[in-house]
Every structure is written in structure tokens, then in C-alpha cells.
Amino acid sequence: MNGFFETSAFFGVFISLLFYGIGMTVKKKLKLAVFNPLLIAIVLTILFLAVTGIDYSVYEKGAKHISFLLTPATICLAVPLYEQLRLLKENLMAVVMGILSGVAASLVSIFLLALMFRLDHGSYVTLLPKSITTAIGIGVSEELGGYVPVTVASIIVTGVTGNMFAEGVCRIFKIHDPVAKGIAIGTSSHAIGTAKAMEMGAVEGAMSSLSIVVSGILTVIGANVFAGFL
Amino acid sequence: MKYLKQFGIILLIAFAGEVLHALLPLPIPAGIYGIILLFLCLCTKLLPVSAIKETSVFLIEIMPIMFIPAAVGLMDSWEVVRRALIPYVVITVVTTFIVMAVAGRVVQRITKLRERKEGPGA
């Protein structure tokens, strides 16, 4: 099976798009957070590869062309941010304090839970950068001596969790203000959460984009400090 | 032509981000330098939003798809994750909710305090 697909440049891209399309259709029919198109696409792709016995490396040969667009797309997040510049200036204090407390909450809660589960130093530092964007998180994990593939897995699960439950969490904690929602989503679940914030509205999306940048940089500093605690 | 030009500008900024990443000894990826660069270009009016608008809207819209390949890569790290599956999953999910609640509540609290101080309509 691998032999034929290895020669195909479009196979990986095609099945990713196909399964995401199926995910969108399912979400439209069944309006439940669990039926998240991204999650459906991930699960279906993994199942498909597992059932057909195609190696991840073979799939990735085609699919990496989608990932190629990630850096240009990330850069484009500056556009909604710029368009909401006035709102950002008006709420500067609240935004800065919100992101700071979010990053602090992340590091403290990971530390406490790691103590509770008696994790070793390696597993602990692996999880420290879990709420920030993959590209920065990999660097932090590497530098602190974590297991990089596990960090990547944790970052993605964090993002998908945020993407799926953002609306629910905001409802439970009575977060109604669009600026607050955006900061909450971006600080907790980086770019994957931001994709959901973009769907919720322009303000939510812009504030979420800002949080990716600021929380990412703050976590680089904070994780280095927290790494010494366990 | 419009899309080609817009995509060209975005790629140029991505490239500039890569150059900064290579030159500066910080663990900050090219994409983050890119956001900051583009944001500065827009703020200083060096670049009007119209020069990249349509392409950026398109790229942001299809962004979720770009996470699929990395996430499918979980297949390969499964063996390592399995060894401490429960702590990993619990910590990952629980802290996501904690951070979301804390950050959101703090922003909302400060905004409300300010509104009260400045009075309605301020």
C-alpha cells in the first residue's frame, strides 16, 4: 500500500481536506461542540491511516504542503489585530493583566498538578509550554530538556480542547465581553483556539491573535523560572 | 494578479521573519516575528491593509486545516504518551479550562471596574 501512495504528491492533502469537509457537514447537521470539524478530521485521518496501514511519514509527504502555509497564515493574524487597534488601546490595561494572569495560572496549575501526579522533571517541563503556539512550545521544551513529541501532542490537544469548549467555558464562567473572550481563548489555546475565536467575531479573533504572541513570549520567560521548581 | 501580489507580500514578510529568527538568539519562531513585522508595517502605514486583505482573510479562514498534519503525528508519539497517559491528558485538559477562565475573568473584571470609575458613557 505504501508503495503507490509514496509516489502521490496530493494524496495527503486530499484526504485531510476531504475529512475536514466531512467534519464541517457533520457539525452543520449536529450542533454539538464534540463534533468539532478539526477533531473529526484528525480522528478520521488517523483511523484511515491505521486501517489502510499507510505510514505517517508517507501521509506527511503530501500533507506537509498544507503545513507550509501555517507561517504565512500566522503572520496574517496581524491584520485583524491592526483593524481592532483602537479597541486594544482602550482596553490595554485589562488585556495585559488578563494575558499575564492567564500565563501565571497556566504555569502554577501545571506545577501543582505535576506535584499531585508525582511527575518527574522531564514530564513536567514537557508540559510547561502546552498552552502556547507549537513553534515556540517546541523551542521551550527542547531547551528545558522535555520530550518534544509529547509537548507537540499536548499543545495540539490543548488547542483542540479550547476550540471545542471555548463557548461552553465562557458561558459557565459568565465571560460575555468579546475582548475577554478573545484573550481567554488565545491565552489558553493559541492558534487552534483562535480559529474558533475568529468564527465567534472580529473582536474575539483579534484579541485571541494578540494573546498568542504575548503569552508565547511571556511563557518563554516563565517556563524557564518554573522549570527550577520541580 | 491581485492575489499573486498579496501572497508575494505575505511571503516576503515570512522570509523577513525567518531572517530575524536566524539572526537573533531567541527561541521565537519566524511566524511570531512575522506578525510583529506586519503589524508594525500596518501601523506605520508602510503597507495599507488593502495590499494583503483578501489573501489574509482566505489564509486565516483555512487555518484550521493546517493543523491536521501535525495532529495526525500523534500517531507516532503514541508509544511515549501512553506511558503516562492519564496525568498528561488530565493536566492538558484541566489547565486549558483554568487558563481560559482566569484570563477571561480578569479581563472582564478590570474592564468593569474601569467602566464604573469612568461612569456610563465614558
Side-chain angles (χ1 to χ4, degrees):
Chain A
M1 206 65 168
N2 281 342
F4 168 73
F5 286 108
E6 252 170 276
T7 58
S8 166
F10 304 107
F11 163 70
V13 182
F14 172 70
I15 64 163
S16 297
L17 289 181
L18 173 71
F19 290 142
Y20 191 79
I22 292 174
M24 292 290 278
T25 314
V26 171
K27 188 196 152 199
K28 248 180 225 160
K29 292 249 158 80
L30 309 156
K31 293 183 192 330
L32 274 173
V34 196
F35 298 107
N36 178 287
L38 180 59
L39 183 70
I40 291 172
I42 294 164
V43 171
L44 287 182
T45 309
I46 291 178
L47 282 178
F48 179 81
L49 296 182
V51 168
T52 53
I54 297 169
D55 283 342
Y56 173 68
S57 58
V58 172
Y59 159 78
E60 205 254 345
K61 250 185 207 161
K64 71 175 181 218
H65 300 295
I66 310 179
S67 314
F68 165 78
L69 287 172
L70 194 53
T71 299
T74 307
I75 291 168
C76 291
L77 292 172
V79 175
L81 184 57
Y82 172 73
E83 288 172 336
Q84 301 296 332
L85 189 59
R86 199 178 58 86
L87 195 69
L88 172 63
K89 280 183 183 159
E90 279 170 11
N91 295 286
L92 192 61
M93 182 66 183
V95 164
V96 171
M97 293 310 291
I99 300 176
L100 258 176
S101 53
V103 170
S106 172
L107 297 171
V108 171
S109 59
I110 293 166
F111 171 66
L112 293 177
L113 285 166
L115 273 185
M116 212 181 88
F117 283 111
R118 296 163 203 260
L119 290 190
D120 56 30
H121 177 77
S123 303
Y124 166 60
V125 296
T126 293
L127 292 176
L128 278 180
K130 63 157 277 283
S131 272
I132 60 174
T133 188
T134 321
I136 305 185
I138 290 173
V140 173
S141 179
E142 233 165 33
E143 198 181 289
L144 299 176
Y147 312 116
V148 174
V150 181
T151 300
V152 174
S154 179
I155 290 175
I156 286 163
V157 172
T158 298
V160 174
T161 305
N163 187 304
M164 281 169 70
F165 297 107
E167 281 150 333
V169 171
C170 287
R171 209 179 310 123
I172 291 168
F173 289 95
K174 299 192 172 60
I175 302 165
H176 310 300
D177 176 34
V179 176
K181 278 186 189 170
I183 299 296
I185 297 170
T187 308
S188 61
S189 49
H190 53 91
I192 305 181
T194 300
K196 171 59 94 187
M198 285 286 174
E199 288 171 23
M200 291 163 83
V203 175
E204 286 90 335
M207 294 300 140
S208 192
S209 313
L210 171 73
S211 310
I212 300 175
V213 179
V214 180
S215 69
I217 293 170
L218 285 176
T219 302
V220 171
I221 305 163
N224 272 289
V225 176
F226 269 75
F229 293 174
L230 187 88
Chain B
M1 267 313 276
K2 185 173 76 182
Y3 285 94
L4 191 63
K5 197 175 151 199
Q6 295 192 346
F7 194 53
I9 294 172
I10 293 166
L11 288 187
L12 178 67
I13 295 169
F15 174 64
E18 281 182 326
V19 171
L20 282 178
H21 176 71
L23 291 179
L24 301 173
L26 301 169
I28 294 172
I32 298 292
Y33 285 124
I35 296 189
I36 298 170
L37 278 178
L38 178 56
F39 185 66
L40 290 177
C41 287
L42 293 171
C43 286
T44 54
K45 314 277 181 210
L46 207 66
L47 200 68
V49 176
S50 60
I52 48 165
K53 180 71 182 176
E54 288 82 2
T55 306
S56 72
V57 167
F58 172 70
L59 283 175
I60 290 173
E61 204 178 288
I62 63 164
M63 204 167 164
I65 295 164
M66 302 169 198
F67 298 112
I68 299 173
V72 174
L74 290 182
M75 282 175 85
D76 277 4
S77 47
W78 176 244
E79 281 307 312
V80 191
V81 175
R82 211 176 59 174
R83 280 181 239 145
L85 185 63
I86 306 252
Y88 281 142
V89 171
V90 171
I91 296 177
T92 300
V93 173
V94 169
T95 56
T96 305
F97 293 151
I98 294 176
V99 176
M100 203 180 271
V102 169
R105 291 298 307 179
V106 167
V107 174
Q108 203 161 275
R109 175 58 56 87
I110 296 177
T111 312
K112 274 193 186 141
L113 279 177
R114 203 199 54 184
E115 276 169 6
R116 212 170 294 158
K117 215 191 282 173
E118 290 175 1

